[in-house]
Amino acid sequence: MPRTEAGEAVESTHAQSKWVRILERLHAEVGDVEYRNWLRQMTLAGVDGDEVTVHIPTRFLRDWVSDRYGARLNALWQSEDPSIRRVELRVGGVVEPTQTIDPPVPEDVAAPTVPASVAAPDDRTDPKSDIAAALDSRFTFEGFVVGKPNEFAYACARRVAEQPSAQGFNPLFLYGGVGLGKTHLMHAIAWELTKRNETPGLAPIAFAYMSAEKFMYRFIAAIRSHSTMEFKEQLRNVDVLMIDDLQFLIGKDNTQEEFFHTFNYLVEAGKQIVVSSDKSPSDLTVEERLKTRLGCGMVADLHTTTYELRLSILETKAARAGGCVPVKVLEYLAHKITSNVRELEGALNRLVAHSNLFGRPVTLETTYEVLHDLLKAHDRRVTIDEIQKRVAEHYGIRVSDMSSARRARQVARPRQVAMYLAKQLTSRSLPEIGKKFGNRDHTTVMHAVSRVTELTERDGTFAEDVELLRRLLES
Ligand code: ADP
Ligand code: MG
């Protein structure tokens, strides 16, 4: 056992036996599962004067243990040795591979009883921003309007929320076009679990929700800061892992590999996986083995909306907004805006906001007026080719330069703008966009998007340019 330089051998043996007693008491107090998941990996590093140092293998474990058991550890030490003033938890010691990297032996897979809000804490980012705060408060089961096109997906989501890891529902793969309610259903599952976790007497279910893009960014960030272990550990400590927009999990890098491992680990440990995607499992650009696994649970389609569903969604939302929208208008919108629920909702919100602002009732006439541009844009879909052409024209470069290898600023910047607009205005994925720009990698597109976003925030003229292009393309 390592010890501090000041520690003497005799004292150290003495200290070690105190430590063993403390661990035994902790074990008895917290129970087997808690002990195994959180406390077992602590080792005594040494005693220096009135200070004890305890090692624990990862930062995540350290924070968790320190938050929940720090005070108790102090008290137990003091009862063993009243001269102890401080117990320091430090990251260190050996990580036992069975506990973090490889699939564990069966007795290790008991669900950690972690409350949802701390299911995936992180040293560098706010833990809640990854889970709880990311949840939209309107996206509940109660707020979801059920109709023929989505009733099956809805029922599956309900089922998973009530009984995670139920036979036949794992993984749950929610599949459907943009704006049809995939994210809504995932958040609804999370809210249901949150509610359950607040019910006294029920064992809490730890969950994590994040987009595939966030998953990638976080994994890459973890590699950079040499903390992949903590990241994996966070994910593997949940009972329900939800990854939204899986179609964005792509690339040759090892994020896909990592997702696959985490995925297998969790499924084998009897944990629930929920993923959403705008592509079916077989159409995803992921490895064959991942496709197979993704498709082997429940695949639930969210079909394109019907007129009836659109109308009933509008009625529900209009009623919530105060019920000042005539049925005629709702019917008109349900006929006219067929692409997805998000646009439908956006249109309704605009009408209501306009009516409140000007104190005028909503009528068919005001609807035509207020939604003029939206309805017009709705008649046509922007393509990447059009975007490239428009942007090239605007900046006076050749369209062929959109896909050329030239890196000069005067072509590179417009190219980035075009990539950005392609991401904003079409539903193409990053690799698809990259392909259209001379077979560039998806990371290039990702970079372009963040670069342009950054520039629009800093440079007013540039922002106006981009906004102008967007309007041109949408009109
Ligand atoms: P997706 O993730 O499939 O792209 P979202 O879940 O973000 O779509 O849904 C887009 C918007 O439409 C959200 O505001 C959501 O609340 C709303 N929405 C979608 N389907 C329904 C529904 N059946 N009932 C109520 N709102 C819905
Ligand atoms: Mg979504």
Side-chain angles (χ1 to χ4, degrees):
M1 187 196 60
R3 53 195 169 81
T4 57
E5 271 151 35
E8 303 231 16
V10 180
E11 222 184 82
S12 162
T13 329
H14 201 50
Q16 182 60 29
S17 55
K18 286 180 193 159
W19 176 235
V20 170
R21 278 198 297 277
I22 289 169
L23 284 180
E24 276 166 4
R25 283 175 67 180
L26 263 180
H27 191 160
E29 282 174 25
V30 302
D32 264 349
V33 175
E34 286 270 298
Y35 183 77
R36 204 164 52 210
N37 282 319
W38 308 114
L39 303 169
R40 183 177 60 182
Q41 298 188 61
M42 288 190 295
T43 52
L44 179 64
V47 181
D48 190 2
D50 60 0
E51 187 176 306
V52 173
T53 305
V54 170
H55 274 168
I56 191 152
T58 67
R59 240 188 306 192
F60 169 60
L61 274 175
R62 179 202 61 198
D63 293 351
W64 176 253
V65 170
S66 157
D67 274 1
R68 300 218 11 192
Y69 302 108
R72 189 69 197 130
L73 267 177
N74 263 315
L76 286 171
W77 265 103
Q78 265 171 23
S79 73
E80 284 288 335
D81 182 348
S83 69
I84 296 298
R85 287 275 156 267
R86 236 170 93 77
V87 181
E88 257 271 278
L89 269 174
R90 288 221 187 107
V91 181
V94 197
V95 184
E96 291 170 42
T98 53
Q99 286 160 346
T100 45
I101 301 157
D102 296 326
V105 292
E107 65 144 37
D108 267 322
V109 300
T113 49
V114 195
S117 59
V118 286
D122 187 288
D123 272 294
R124 295 156 301 277
T125 56
D126 173 16
K128 297 223 173 95
S129 69
D130 287 319
I131 317 162
L135 299 177
D136 191 309
S137 62
R138 296 162 308 158
F139 292 3
T140 59
F141 282 126
E142 293 72 30
F144 193 81
V145 180
V146 186
K148 270 264 172 301
N150 61 23
E151 63 188 5
F152 184 65
Y154 171 82
C156 291
R158 270 263 182 214
R159 176 70 204 264
V160 161
E162 271 158 29
Q163 195 192 341
S165 310
Q167 183 81 38
F169 288 82
N170 200 14
L172 172 60
F173 192 104
L174 296 170
Y175 153 47
V178 179
L180 296 183
K182 300 182 296 293
T183 299
H184 189 132
L185 285 178
M186 290 180 115
H187 286 208
I189 294 174
W191 283 121
E192 209 58 26
L193 294 174
T194 307
K195 232 194 299 176
R196 180 207 147 92
N197 287 347
E198 282 158 5
T199 314
L202 290 180
I205 292 176
F207 64 85
Y209 165 85
M210 68 182 100
S211 67
E213 270 169 326
K214 180 119 191 185
F215 177 89
M216 277 161 56
Y217 282 127
R218 291 203 42 198
F219 187 66
I220 293 163
I223 292 175
R224 288 213 191 99
S225 62
H226 307 288
S227 57
T228 49
M229 195 96 87
E230 281 111 306
F231 181 61
K232 291 179 197 183
E233 200 176 357
Q234 286 168 17
L235 292 175
R236 289 175 185 203
N237 275 323
V238 302
D239 303 302
V240 180
L241 175 65
M242 293 188 270
I243 305 282
D244 206 350
D245 289 322
L246 196 70
Q247 72 272 12
F248 294 130
L249 182 81
I250 26 115
K252 292 164 231 75
D253 47 45
N254 38 11
T255 50
Q256 208 186 101
E257 183 78 13
E258 186 44 39
F259 175 73
F260 184 69
H261 285 311
T262 306
F263 179 89
N264 279 336
Y265 173 95
L266 289 170
V267 169
E268 265 145 42
K271 309 299 181 63
Q272 176 75 48
I273 309 270
V274 183
V275 296
S276 83
S277 165
D278 68 358
K279 296 196 175 64
S280 73
S282 56
D283 289 338
L284 277 170
T285 44
V286 298
E287 284 179 55
E288 215 47 53
R289 52 181 188 157
L290 182 53
K291 279 185 198 176
T292 312
R293 288 224 75 150
L294 283 169
C296 73
M298 183 61 74
V299 179
D301 288 27
L302 287 136
H303 298 279
T304 47
T305 55
T306 55
Y307 172 75
E308 287 72 32
L309 178 60
R310 288 195 296 277
L311 187 58
S312 98
I313 290 173
L314 284 170
E315 280 165 355
T316 310
K317 305 215 167 184
R320 207 162 297 156
C324 57
V325 187
V327 180
K328 273 260 155 296
V329 170
L330 299 181
E331 285 171 351
Y332 174 74
L333 293 179
H335 267 301
K336 207 62 187 154
I337 303 178
T338 54
S339 55
N340 69 55
V341 183
R342 187 175 297 132
E343 282 192 25
L344 206 57
E345 218 179 346
L348 181 66
N349 290 342
R350 259 168 75 181
L351 283 182
V352 173
H354 185 271
S355 143
N356 288 341
L357 197 61
F358 295 102
R360 279 166 59 190
V362 179
T363 61
L364 270 179
E365 282 65 42
T366 61
T367 303
Y368 302 142
E369 197 187 303
V370 175
L371 299 181
H372 172 76
D373 54 335
L374 190 144
L375 293 169
K376 208 163 125 204
H378 202 262
D379 292 333
R380 47 194 297 282
R381 287 243 152 256
V382 187
T383 64
I384 295 183
D385 288 335
E386 280 172 78
I387 294 174
Q388 292 183 332
K389 195 165 148 274
R390 276 284 187 189
V391 176
E393 254 167 34
H394 180 84
Y395 287 101
I397 64 168
R398 286 193 303 266
V399 179
S400 61
D401 274 331
M402 287 291 165
S403 17
S404 76
R406 286 183 63 200
R407 282 154 164 262
R409 181 70 164 282
Q410 71 267 29
V411 299
R413 183 72 80 230
R415 194 187 290 134
Q416 286 182 325
V417 169
M419 287 181 188
Y420 168 87
L421 289 169
K423 172 83 174 122
Q424 303 285 317
L425 302 179
T426 74
S427 54
R428 301 276 149 225
S429 68
L430 296 173
E432 284 170 333
I433 295 171
K435 214 169 187 181
K436 282 290 220 172
F437 286 82
N439 252 330
R440 286 182 157 79
D441 194 69
H442 74 275
T443 51
T444 310
V445 184
M446 236 192 248
H447 176 73
V449 172
S450 61
R451 187 81 187 113
V452 171
T453 310
E454 204 182 296
L455 282 171
T456 50
E457 279 156 14
R458 273 212 323 252
D459 180 342
T461 320
F462 179 76
E464 269 171 30
D465 253 18
V466 174
E467 187 49 34
L468 176 70
L469 279 164
R470 180 208 298 280
R471 281 176 191 221
L472 280 173
L473 284 160
E474 276 180 338
S475 67

